[in-house]
mmCIF file of all heavy atoms in Angstrom:
data_model
loop_
_atom_site.group_PDB
_atom_site.id
_atom_site.type_symbol
_atom_site.label_atom_id
_atom_site.label_comp_id
_atom_site.label_asym_id
_atom_site.label_seq_id
_atom_site.Cartn_x
_atom_site.Cartn_y
_atom_site.Cartn_z
ATOM 1 N N SER E 1 93.195 42.426 166.760
ATOM 2 C CA SER E 1 93.474 41.114 167.340
ATOM 3 C C SER E 1 94.542 41.209 168.426
ATOM 4 O O SER E 1 95.495 41.980 168.324
ATOM 5 C CB SER E 1 93.955 40.155 166.245
ATOM 6 O OG SER E 1 94.418 38.954 166.824
ATOM 7 N N SER E 2 94.347 40.412 169.492
ATOM 8 C CA SER E 2 95.373 40.343 170.546
ATOM 9 C C SER E 2 96.439 39.326 170.181
ATOM 10 O O SER E 2 97.462 39.205 170.852
ATOM 11 C CB SER E 2 94.735 39.974 171.889
ATOM 12 O OG SER E 2 94.085 38.718 171.784
ATOM 13 N N GLU E 3 96.190 38.576 169.104
ATOM 14 C CA GLU E 3 97.149 37.573 168.644
ATOM 15 C C GLU E 3 98.103 38.218 167.646
ATOM 16 O O GLU E 3 97.836 38.282 166.445
ATOM 17 C CB GLU E 3 96.409 36.400 167.987
ATOM 18 C CG GLU E 3 95.442 35.681 168.915
ATOM 19 C CD GLU E 3 96.181 35.018 170.076
ATOM 20 O OE1 GLU E 3 97.327 34.563 169.871
ATOM 21 O OE2 GLU E 3 95.617 34.955 171.175
ATOM 22 N N VAL E 4 99.205 38.758 168.173
ATOM 23 C CA VAL E 4 100.187 39.451 167.333
ATOM 24 C C VAL E 4 101.578 38.883 167.623
ATOM 25 O O VAL E 4 101.777 38.196 168.621
ATOM 26 C CB VAL E 4 100.180 40.971 167.598
ATOM 27 C CG1 VAL E 4 98.822 41.578 167.291
ATOM 28 C CG2 VAL E 4 100.591 41.272 169.038
ATOM 29 N N ALA E 5 102.509 39.210 166.762
ATOM 30 C CA ALA E 5 103.886 38.758 166.979
ATOM 31 C C ALA E 5 104.852 39.808 166.455
ATOM 32 O O ALA E 5 104.560 40.534 165.496
ATOM 33 C CB ALA E 5 104.123 37.420 166.275
ATOM 34 N N VAL E 6 105.994 39.884 167.114
ATOM 35 C CA VAL E 6 107.094 40.744 166.669
ATOM 36 C C VAL E 6 108.051 39.874 165.857
ATOM 37 O O VAL E 6 108.418 38.777 166.287
ATOM 38 C CB VAL E 6 107.820 41.372 167.870
ATOM 39 C CG1 VAL E 6 108.971 42.255 167.392
ATOM 40 C CG2 VAL E 6 106.845 42.176 168.717
ATOM 41 N N VAL E 7 108.458 40.372 164.700
ATOM 42 C CA VAL E 7 109.260 39.570 163.776
ATOM 43 C C VAL E 7 110.606 40.254 163.533
ATOM 44 O O VAL E 7 110.652 41.468 163.305
ATOM 45 C CB VAL E 7 108.506 39.400 162.434
ATOM 46 C CG1 VAL E 7 109.287 38.506 161.495
ATOM 47 C CG2 VAL E 7 107.113 38.840 162.687
ATOM 48 N N PRO E 8 111.717 39.490 163.570
ATOM 49 C CA PRO E 8 113.036 40.096 163.330
ATOM 50 C C PRO E 8 113.211 40.555 161.888
ATOM 51 O O PRO E 8 112.486 40.131 160.981
ATOM 52 C CB PRO E 8 113.998 38.967 163.676
ATOM 53 C CG PRO E 8 113.210 37.710 163.492
ATOM 54 C CD PRO E 8 111.810 38.055 163.876
ATOM 55 N N THR E 9 114.197 41.386 161.674
ATOM 56 C CA THR E 9 114.457 42.000 160.371
ATOM 57 C C THR E 9 114.666 40.972 159.271
ATOM 58 O O THR E 9 114.291 41.211 158.109
ATOM 59 C CB THR E 9 115.710 42.898 160.470
ATOM 60 O OG1 THR E 9 115.589 43.726 161.619
ATOM 61 C CG2 THR E 9 115.884 43.772 159.247
ATOM 62 N N VAL E 10 115.263 39.856 159.616
ATOM 63 C CA VAL E 10 115.625 38.864 158.609
ATOM 64 C C VAL E 10 114.404 38.374 157.821
ATOM 65 O O VAL E 10 114.511 37.964 156.664
ATOM 66 C CB VAL E 10 116.379 37.673 159.268
ATOM 67 C CG1 VAL E 10 115.469 36.892 160.207
ATOM 68 C CG2 VAL E 10 116.998 36.763 158.216
ATOM 69 N N ARG E 11 113.192 38.436 158.420
ATOM 70 C CA ARG E 11 112.005 37.897 157.746
ATOM 71 C C ARG E 11 111.484 38.821 156.650
ATOM 72 O O ARG E 11 111.138 38.366 155.557
ATOM 73 C CB ARG E 11 110.890 37.640 158.782
ATOM 74 C CG ARG E 11 109.622 37.071 158.183
ATOM 75 C CD ARG E 11 109.880 35.675 157.623
ATOM 76 N NE ARG E 11 108.706 35.109 156.963
ATOM 77 C CZ ARG E 11 108.356 35.326 155.709
ATOM 78 N NH1 ARG E 11 109.096 36.133 154.957
ATOM 79 N NH2 ARG E 11 107.293 34.749 155.187
ATOM 80 N N TYR E 12 111.415 40.107 156.910
ATOM 81 C CA TYR E 12 110.821 41.026 155.930
ATOM 82 C C TYR E 12 111.816 42.050 155.387
ATOM 83 O O TYR E 12 111.432 42.997 154.705
ATOM 84 C CB TYR E 12 109.615 41.745 156.550
ATOM 85 C CG TYR E 12 108.517 40.778 156.948
ATOM 86 C CD1 TYR E 12 108.170 40.622 158.283
ATOM 87 C CD2 TYR E 12 107.851 40.023 155.998
ATOM 88 C CE1 TYR E 12 107.179 39.729 158.659
ATOM 89 C CE2 TYR E 12 106.861 39.126 156.356
ATOM 90 C CZ TYR E 12 106.520 38.970 157.688
ATOM 91 O OH TYR E 12 105.548 38.082 158.045
ATOM 92 N N GLY E 13 113.092 41.863 155.689
ATOM 93 C CA GLY E 13 114.143 42.681 155.105
ATOM 94 C C GLY E 13 114.332 44.046 155.756
ATOM 95 O O GLY E 13 113.548 44.483 156.592
ATOM 96 N N ARG E 14 115.395 44.680 155.342
ATOM 97 C CA ARG E 14 115.735 46.006 155.854
ATOM 98 C C ARG E 14 115.045 47.087 155.019
ATOM 99 O O ARG E 14 114.903 46.948 153.807
ATOM 100 C CB ARG E 14 117.243 46.234 155.803
ATOM 101 C CG ARG E 14 118.063 45.234 156.593
ATOM 102 C CD ARG E 14 119.521 45.594 156.532
ATOM 103 N NE ARG E 14 120.351 44.624 157.250
ATOM 104 C CZ ARG E 14 121.611 44.823 157.590
ATOM 105 N NH1 ARG E 14 122.212 45.962 157.254
ATOM 106 N NH2 ARG E 14 122.284 43.900 158.235
ATOM 107 N N GLY E 15 114.691 48.169 155.726
ATOM 108 C CA GLY E 15 114.137 49.308 155.027
ATOM 109 C C GLY E 15 115.241 50.261 154.601
ATOM 110 O O GLY E 15 116.435 49.926 154.596
ATOM 111 N N SER E 16 114.870 51.486 154.259
ATOM 112 C CA SER E 16 115.843 52.522 153.883
ATOM 113 C C SER E 16 115.353 53.858 154.424
ATOM 114 O O SER E 16 114.264 53.947 154.990
ATOM 115 C CB SER E 16 116.002 52.574 152.356
ATOM 116 O OG SER E 16 114.747 52.859 151.746
ATOM 117 N N GLY E 17 116.145 54.877 154.241
ATOM 118 C CA GLY E 17 115.762 56.193 154.769
ATOM 119 C C GLY E 17 115.953 56.281 156.268
ATOM 120 O O GLY E 17 116.829 55.631 156.833
ATOM 121 N N HIS E 18 115.106 57.048 156.935
ATOM 122 C CA HIS E 18 115.252 57.273 158.368
ATOM 123 C C HIS E 18 114.579 56.195 159.211
ATOM 124 O O HIS E 18 113.634 55.541 158.766
ATOM 125 C CB HIS E 18 114.657 58.642 158.757
ATOM 126 C CG HIS E 18 115.473 59.798 158.285
ATOM 127 N ND1 HIS E 18 115.014 60.694 157.359
ATOM 128 C CD2 HIS E 18 116.730 60.184 158.610
ATOM 129 C CE1 HIS E 18 115.950 61.609 157.131
ATOM 130 N NE2 HIS E 18 116.998 61.315 157.866
ATOM 131 N N ILE E 19 115.089 56.015 160.421
ATOM 132 C CA ILE E 19 114.438 55.214 161.453
ATOM 133 C C ILE E 19 113.774 56.217 162.397
ATOM 134 O O ILE E 19 114.438 57.094 162.923
ATOM 135 C CB ILE E 19 115.445 54.346 162.223
ATOM 136 C CG1 ILE E 19 116.140 53.390 161.253
ATOM 137 C CG2 ILE E 19 114.753 53.572 163.345
ATOM 138 C CD1 ILE E 19 117.336 52.677 161.846
ATOM 139 N N LEU E 20 112.475 56.106 162.602
ATOM 140 C CA LEU E 20 111.753 57.139 163.352
ATOM 141 C C LEU E 20 111.743 56.906 164.863
ATOM 142 O O LEU E 20 111.943 57.845 165.634
ATOM 143 C CB LEU E 20 110.307 57.233 162.855
ATOM 144 C CG LEU E 20 109.452 58.306 163.537
ATOM 145 C CD1 LEU E 20 109.971 59.701 163.213
ATOM 146 C CD2 LEU E 20 107.986 58.173 163.137
ATOM 147 N N LEU E 21 111.479 55.670 165.287
ATOM 148 C CA LEU E 21 111.238 55.408 166.705
ATOM 149 C C LEU E 21 112.135 54.304 167.246
ATOM 150 O O LEU E 21 112.438 53.333 166.541
ATOM 151 C CB LEU E 21 109.773 55.004 166.924
ATOM 152 C CG LEU E 21 108.693 56.034 166.606
ATOM 153 C CD1 LEU E 21 107.329 55.378 166.595
ATOM 154 C CD2 LEU E 21 108.733 57.174 167.618
ATOM 155 N N SER E 22 112.511 54.446 168.518
ATOM 156 C CA SER E 22 113.269 53.411 169.231
ATOM 157 C C SER E 22 112.885 53.465 170.701
ATOM 158 O O SER E 22 112.428 54.498 171.196
ATOM 159 C CB SER E 22 114.777 53.644 169.073
ATOM 160 O OG SER E 22 115.514 52.700 169.818
ATOM 161 N N ASN E 23 113.082 52.343 171.393
ATOM 162 C CA ASN E 23 112.806 52.284 172.832
ATOM 163 C C ASN E 23 111.396 52.774 173.164
ATOM 164 O O ASN E 23 111.184 53.593 174.053
ATOM 165 C CB ASN E 23 113.841 53.100 173.619
ATOM 166 C CG ASN E 23 115.239 52.535 173.472
ATOM 167 O OD1 ASN E 23 115.455 51.344 173.697
ATOM 168 N ND2 ASN E 23 116.182 53.368 173.071
ATOM 169 N N ILE E 24 110.427 52.251 172.409
ATOM 170 C CA ILE E 24 109.024 52.597 172.637
ATOM 171 C C ILE E 24 108.490 51.795 173.824
ATOM 172 O O ILE E 24 108.863 50.633 174.007
ATOM 173 C CB ILE E 24 108.168 52.272 171.397
ATOM 174 C CG1 ILE E 24 108.791 52.897 170.149
ATOM 175 C CG2 ILE E 24 106.747 52.776 171.561
ATOM 176 C CD1 ILE E 24 108.089 52.487 168.874
ATOM 177 N N TRP E 25 107.633 52.429 174.602
ATOM 178 C CA TRP E 25 106.945 51.714 175.689
ATOM 179 C C TRP E 25 105.462 52.050 175.612
ATOM 180 O O TRP E 25 105.054 53.202 175.725
ATOM 181 C CB TRP E 25 107.486 52.102 177.056
ATOM 182 C CG TRP E 25 106.867 51.274 178.139
ATOM 183 C CD1 TRP E 25 107.322 50.097 178.623
ATOM 184 C CD2 TRP E 25 105.649 51.571 178.850
ATOM 185 N NE1 TRP E 25 106.481 49.606 179.590
ATOM 186 C CE2 TRP E 25 105.443 50.486 179.747
ATOM 187 C CE3 TRP E 25 104.716 52.596 178.800
ATOM 188 C CZ2 TRP E 25 104.338 50.436 180.605
ATOM 189 C CZ3 TRP E 25 103.616 52.536 179.643
ATOM 190 C CH2 TRP E 25 103.439 51.470 180.537
ATOM 191 N N CYS E 26 104.646 51.017 175.386
ATOM 192 C CA CYS E 26 103.193 51.183 175.311
ATOM 193 C C CYS E 26 102.522 50.352 176.401
ATOM 194 O O CYS E 26 103.068 49.325 176.839
ATOM 195 C CB CYS E 26 102.659 50.707 173.960
ATOM 196 S SG CYS E 26 103.371 51.516 172.495
ATOM 197 N N SER E 27 101.351 50.773 176.818
ATOM 198 C CA SER E 27 100.553 49.947 177.733
ATOM 199 C C SER E 27 99.817 48.863 176.952
ATOM 200 O O SER E 27 99.402 47.852 177.506
ATOM 201 C CB SER E 27 99.538 50.819 178.481
ATOM 202 O OG SER E 27 98.519 51.264 177.589
ATOM 203 N N GLY E 28 99.660 49.093 175.652
ATOM 204 C CA GLY E 28 98.945 48.152 174.800
ATOM 205 C C GLY E 28 97.542 48.609 174.463
ATOM 206 O O GLY E 28 96.884 48.038 173.597
ATOM 207 N N GLU E 29 97.090 49.660 175.154
ATOM 208 C CA GLU E 29 95.721 50.160 174.953
ATOM 209 C C GLU E 29 95.663 51.392 174.064
ATOM 210 O O GLU E 29 94.587 51.865 173.710
ATOM 211 C CB GLU E 29 95.075 50.485 176.308
ATOM 212 C CG GLU E 29 95.068 49.329 177.303
ATOM 213 C CD GLU E 29 94.384 48.091 176.741
ATOM 214 O OE1 GLU E 29 93.318 48.255 176.098
ATOM 215 O OE2 GLU E 29 94.913 46.979 176.918
ATOM 216 N N GLU E 30 96.815 51.953 173.695
ATOM 217 C CA GLU E 30 96.840 53.184 172.909
ATOM 218 C C GLU E 30 96.292 52.956 171.497
ATOM 219 O O GLU E 30 96.312 51.834 170.961
ATOM 220 C CB GLU E 30 98.274 53.727 172.802
ATOM 221 C CG GLU E 30 98.893 54.155 174.123
ATOM 222 C CD GLU E 30 99.563 53.023 174.884
ATOM 223 O OE1 GLU E 30 99.449 51.846 174.461
ATOM 224 O OE2 GLU E 30 100.205 53.306 175.909
ATOM 225 N N ALA E 31 95.813 54.023 170.875
ATOM 226 C CA ALA E 31 95.296 53.953 169.509
ATOM 227 C C ALA E 31 96.405 54.146 168.480
ATOM 228 O O ALA E 31 96.243 53.790 167.316
ATOM 229 C CB ALA E 31 94.226 55.020 169.302
ATOM 230 N N SER E 32 97.544 54.733 168.926
ATOM 231 C CA SER E 32 98.635 55.019 168.002
ATOM 232 C C SER E 32 99.973 54.953 168.736
ATOM 233 O O SER E 32 100.045 55.243 169.941
ATOM 234 C CB SER E 32 98.454 56.408 167.386
ATOM 235 O OG SER E 32 99.623 56.832 166.713
ATOM 236 N N LEU E 33 101.024 54.590 168.030
ATOM 237 C CA LEU E 33 102.380 54.594 168.617
ATOM 238 C C LEU E 33 102.778 56.000 169.066
ATOM 239 O O LEU E 33 103.626 56.155 169.941
ATOM 240 C CB LEU E 33 103.393 54.063 167.601
ATOM 241 C CG LEU E 33 103.295 52.570 167.267
ATOM 242 C CD1 LEU E 33 104.246 52.214 166.125
ATOM 243 C CD2 LEU E 33 103.592 51.711 168.493
ATOM 244 N N ALA E 34 102.161 57.026 168.476
ATOM 245 C CA ALA E 34 102.459 58.410 168.863
ATOM 246 C C ALA E 34 102.065 58.681 170.308
ATOM 247 O O ALA E 34 102.598 59.592 170.950
ATOM 248 C CB ALA E 34 101.731 59.384 167.945
ATOM 249 N N GLN E 35 101.138 57.875 170.851
ATOM 250 C CA GLN E 35 100.680 58.075 172.229
ATOM 251 C C GLN E 35 101.541 57.310 173.242
ATOM 252 O O GLN E 35 101.373 57.467 174.443
ATOM 253 C CB GLN E 35 99.221 57.613 172.347
ATOM 254 C CG GLN E 35 98.265 58.426 171.495
ATOM 255 C CD GLN E 35 96.881 57.798 171.409
ATOM 256 O OE1 GLN E 35 96.636 56.737 171.966
ATOM 257 N NE2 GLN E 35 95.978 58.463 170.710
ATOM 258 N N CYS E 36 102.432 56.464 172.758
ATOM 259 C CA CYS E 36 103.314 55.689 173.647
ATOM 260 C C CYS E 36 104.541 56.516 174.008
ATOM 261 O O CYS E 36 104.931 57.441 173.288
ATOM 262 C CB CYS E 36 103.769 54.402 172.952
ATOM 263 S SG CYS E 36 102.420 53.317 172.441
ATOM 264 N N TYR E 37 105.166 56.143 175.123
ATOM 265 C CA TYR E 37 106.416 56.823 175.489
ATOM 266 C C TYR E 37 107.525 56.359 174.549
ATOM 267 O O TYR E 37 107.624 55.176 174.196
ATOM 268 C CB TYR E 37 106.806 56.498 176.935
ATOM 269 C CG TYR E 37 108.166 57.051 177.271
ATOM 270 C CD1 TYR E 37 108.318 58.387 177.627
ATOM 271 C CD2 TYR E 37 109.300 56.255 177.168
ATOM 272 C CE1 TYR E 37 109.571 58.920 177.888
ATOM 273 C CE2 TYR E 37 110.562 56.785 177.426
ATOM 274 C CZ TYR E 37 110.689 58.113 177.780
ATOM 275 O OH TYR E 37 111.932 58.634 178.017
ATOM 276 N N HIS E 38 108.357 57.302 174.143
ATOM 277 C CA HIS E 38 109.517 56.952 173.319
ATOM 278 C C HIS E 38 110.602 57.992 173.520
ATOM 279 O O HIS E 38 110.360 59.087 174.038
ATOM 280 C CB HIS E 38 109.120 56.875 171.834
ATOM 281 C CG HIS E 38 108.479 58.129 171.317
ATOM 282 N ND1 HIS E 38 109.204 59.256 170.971
ATOM 283 C CD2 HIS E 38 107.174 58.450 171.115
ATOM 284 C CE1 HIS E 38 108.379 60.198 170.561
ATOM 285 N NE2 HIS E 38 107.132 59.742 170.648
ATOM 286 N N GLY E 39 111.802 57.659 173.154
ATOM 287 C CA GLY E 39 112.920 58.596 173.261
ATOM 288 C C GLY E 39 112.896 59.593 172.119
ATOM 289 O O GLY E 39 111.858 59.840 171.490
ATOM 290 N N LEU E 40 114.056 60.161 171.811
ATOM 291 C CA LEU E 40 114.173 61.122 170.715
ATOM 292 C C LEU E 40 113.734 60.482 169.405
ATOM 293 O O LEU E 40 114.006 59.299 169.160
ATOM 294 C CB LEU E 40 115.624 61.589 170.576
ATOM 295 C CG LEU E 40 116.233 62.391 171.723
ATOM 296 C CD1 LEU E 40 117.732 62.540 171.505
ATOM 297 C CD2 LEU E 40 115.585 63.757 171.823
ATOM 298 N N LEU E 41 113.062 61.255 168.564
ATOM 299 C CA LEU E 41 112.768 60.776 167.218
ATOM 300 C C LEU E 41 114.062 60.697 166.417
ATOM 301 O O LEU E 41 115.011 61.434 166.670
ATOM 302 C CB LEU E 41 111.783 61.716 166.523
ATOM 303 C CG LEU E 41 110.383 61.846 167.158
ATOM 304 C CD1 LEU E 41 109.486 62.716 166.284
ATOM 305 C CD2 LEU E 41 109.737 60.486 167.372
ATOM 306 N N TYR E 42 114.105 59.813 165.447
ATOM 307 C CA TYR E 42 115.285 59.579 164.621
ATOM 308 C C TYR E 42 116.492 59.206 165.489
ATOM 309 O O TYR E 42 117.503 59.902 165.503
ATOM 310 C CB TYR E 42 115.590 60.792 163.744
ATOM 311 C CG TYR E 42 114.409 61.239 162.919
ATOM 312 C CD1 TYR E 42 113.645 62.341 163.305
ATOM 313 C CD2 TYR E 42 114.037 60.549 161.777
ATOM 314 C CE1 TYR E 42 112.534 62.738 162.558
ATOM 315 C CE2 TYR E 42 112.921 60.943 161.023
ATOM 316 C CZ TYR E 42 112.179 62.035 161.425
ATOM 317 O OH TYR E 42 111.088 62.424 160.688
ATOM 318 N N PRO E 43 116.395 58.099 166.238
ATOM 319 C CA PRO E 43 117.444 57.729 167.207
ATOM 320 C C PRO E 43 118.769 57.379 166.530
ATOM 321 O O PRO E 43 118.803 56.953 165.366
ATOM 322 C CB PRO E 43 116.850 56.492 167.885
ATOM 323 C CG PRO E 43 115.943 55.903 166.846
ATOM 324 C CD PRO E 43 115.339 57.082 166.141
ATOM 325 N N GLN E 44 119.845 57.535 167.308
ATOM 326 C CA GLN E 44 121.179 57.224 166.799
ATOM 327 C C GLN E 44 121.605 55.796 167.104
ATOM 328 O O GLN E 44 122.580 55.311 166.536
ATOM 329 C CB GLN E 44 122.202 58.188 167.427
ATOM 330 C CG GLN E 44 121.943 59.645 167.115
ATOM 331 C CD GLN E 44 123.098 60.528 167.521
ATOM 332 O OE1 GLN E 44 124.233 60.298 167.122
ATOM 333 N NE2 GLN E 44 122.830 61.543 168.320
ATOM 334 N N ASP E 45 120.896 55.145 168.020
ATOM 335 C CA ASP E 45 121.369 53.840 168.503
ATOM 336 C C ASP E 45 120.810 52.669 167.707
ATOM 337 O O ASP E 45 120.791 51.541 168.175
ATOM 338 C CB ASP E 45 121.014 53.671 169.988
ATOM 339 C CG ASP E 45 119.509 53.683 170.243
ATOM 340 O OD1 ASP E 45 118.755 54.088 169.340
ATOM 341 O OD2 ASP E 45 119.088 53.278 171.344
#
């Protein structure tokens, strides 16, 4: 579906463990987030 939404943390709570991706940039046509541009895995910011 093209009808999607981004939801802030407050709605579904915080996770635990590692954070894998940050500053992702996708065209929207990719099949996986792995195909989008992103910075270092496990970001510090």
Side-chain angles (χ1 to χ4, degrees):
S1 171
S2 59
E3 300 296 326
V4 299
V6 179
V7 183
T9 312
V10 66
R11 180 66 183 85
Y12 298 115
R14 301 183 182 194
S16 59
H18 289 115
I19 300 169
L20 182 66
L21 296 168
S22 177
N23 296 308
I24 308 174
W25 185 90
C26 303
S27 70
E29 305 304 318
E30 296 86 353
S32 168
L33 291 173
Q35 296 169 359
C36 301
Y37 173 81
H38 56 79
L40 295 170
L41 297 185
Y42 307 102
Q44 299 191 54
D45 62 345

